Each structure stands twice: as C-alpha cells, then as structure tokens.
Amino acid sequence: MAQVFPTKANLMATQKSLDLAKLGYELMDRKRNILVREMMQLVDKARTVEENIGEAYQKAYSALKLANITLGVCGNFARSTPVEKSLTLDYKSVMGVEIPCASLDDADLQPHYGMQKTNSYLDEAYIHFNEAKRLTVQLAETQASIFRLADAVKKTQKRANALNNIMIPQFTETIKFITEALDEKEREDFTRLKVVKATKESKK
C-alpha cells in the first residue's frame, strides 16, 4: 500500500477510485462473458464447417479421380478456370474486437471449359471443389475470429484480475487505513478536549 496522508480529502478520493475500480471490474467481467459466448458459438460453427469441408474435399477428389481416369489428366481443363478474385474481406466489431468477415461472389457456377471433350465427372469435381473453396473461406474466417476473440478474452481476463486482485484490495486497505487513522485522531482530539476542560474546571 502506498503511503498516503490520512485526510478526509484523500479518503474521498480513494473511495471514488474504489468505486471506479469496481465498476471497471464489472464492465470487464461482462465484456469477457460476451466474448466467451461469441467465441463458443464460433467454435461450434468451425466444428460444423470442418466436418462439411472434409466431406466436400473427399467428394471433389473422388470426382477428379474418375475424371482423370475417363478423360486423362485434367490439367488443361483446370488451366482454363480463371484465378478466384471475388474474395472480399471486411471487419465487424464485437465489444471493440475487430473480427474478419470474408465472402465470395455468389455468382452461378459456370464451367470455363468446353463441354464437347469433358464429362459429368469433371462437372462434379468442379462443383465440389467450388463448394470446398466456399467452406475453406468460411473456415478461415471463423478460425481467425476465434483466435482474435481468444486473445481479447485473455487480455480482458488479465485486466479484470488486476482490478479484482490488486487495485480493489489496495483501495480497500487504503480506505481502512485512512478511516482508522481519522478515528484515532478524533479520539485523541476528544480526549485532549476533555483534559483541557477538566483543567479549566479544576482551576475554578
């Protein structure tokens, strides 16, 4: 506890600081709970996406395998597909934490290869790989959001602990020290006044 002079002004200032520290702790605790709830929802979403993405890639590679068997190596057809450029990234705020929002253009799937020398296996591979791409974007967005929220929860918990375990006890101890010192001073003044009064009466 830092040494402070036991005055009424310091007592009032410390009481105000204690009230602010308690309010700060309540706000930090509330923020932490909201962040944890948001993070757990994203964890459930990530688990679902991971299950779906595994299935999507399995279907895509199975269809590609059949396409390779029936058409030969499909590298030439793949090169006709343009590079994906519709991915956009934005951010939203959750209790002051910026988390990413990624999205792909929802345009209708239109193969960029000719139909004359291809078959339905290649079409299926194209469709499943597009689905896997969409799920990969979702998973990346969700995992990045979870990491950011987890870091924010850690920092918020640290600040809340500092308030609850350090600042609030310090202010409480300081208030106790000042209050006891002022009470002692008041008793000493009262005793001194009694002695002075008794001395005056004895002289009469």
Side-chain angles (χ1 to χ4, degrees):
M1 181 183 67
Q3 186 62 39
V4 294
F5 291 106
T7 64
K8 288 185 178 181
N10 284 339
L11 177 61
M12 292 174 63
T14 306
Q15 287 173 333
K16 184 177 180 180
S17 296
L18 176 61
D19 291 339
L20 288 174
K22 288 180 177 179
L23 177 61
Y25 172 74
E26 291 176 3
L27 292 175
M28 288 292 173
D29 189 55
R30 193 179 308 164
K31 177 180 178 179
R32 180 197 59 192
N33 290 336
I34 292 173
L35 292 177
V36 168
R37 184 167 63 248
E38 185 77 17
M39 185 175 66
M40 295 311 297
Q41 290 175 352
L42 289 175
V43 167
D44 292 338
K45 179 181 177 181
R47 190 178 294 114
T48 301
V49 173
E50 284 176 349
E51 293 173 358
N52 293 337
I53 201 172
E55 183 180 350
Y57 272 112
Q58 184 178 6
K59 289 181 178 179
Y61 280 111
S62 295
L64 182 60
K65 182 179 178 180
L66 291 173
N68 282 329
I69 292 172
T70 55
L71 298 173
V73 178
C74 299
N76 290 331
F77 301 121
R79 278 191 285 273
S80 68
T81 302
V83 175
E84 178 62 66
K85 294 183 179 179
S86 69
L87 177 66
T88 57
L89 183 63
D90 202 356
Y91 293 90
K92 70 176 182 178
S93 178
V94 177
M95 296 299 292
V97 181
E98 296 291 320
I99 60 175
C101 298
S103 62
L104 285 171
D105 188 5
D106 291 331
D108 293 336
L109 289 179
Q110 294 294 335
H112 297 275
Y113 49 82
M115 300 295 178
Q116 186 176 359
K117 296 182 179 181
T118 60
N119 58 26
S120 61
Y121 294 127
L122 185 61
D123 295 339
E124 288 181 20
Y126 180 75
I127 292 171
H128 290 312
F129 272 114
N130 269 282
E131 176 64 11
K133 177 180 65 176
R134 185 185 66 81
L135 291 171
T136 300
V137 171
Q138 282 188 14
L139 185 60
E141 171 197 303
T142 306
Q143 288 181 338
S145 299
I146 290 171
F147 290 143
R148 289 196 175 201
L149 289 170
D151 184 59
V153 168
K154 183 178 178 181
K155 290 178 179 178
T156 303
Q157 182 65 56
K158 186 175 180 180
R159 291 169 184 164
N161 287 342
L163 287 170
N164 193 46
N165 299 328
I166 299 174
M167 301 304 297
I168 290 176
Q170 282 184 353
F171 289 138
T172 302
E173 187 65 24
T174 300
I175 289 172
K176 180 182 177 184
F177 165 75
I178 295 175
T179 302
E180 290 177 350
L182 290 176
D183 289 344
E184 182 63 27
K185 185 176 182 298
E186 187 176 344
R187 285 192 294 270
E188 289 176 357
D189 290 342
F190 180 72
T191 302
R192 190 177 302 110
L193 286 173
K194 285 183 67 176
V195 170
V196 171
K197 183 178 179 181
T199 302
K200 287 183 178 179
E201 288 179 352
S202 64
K203 287 182 179 180
K204 292 179 181 179

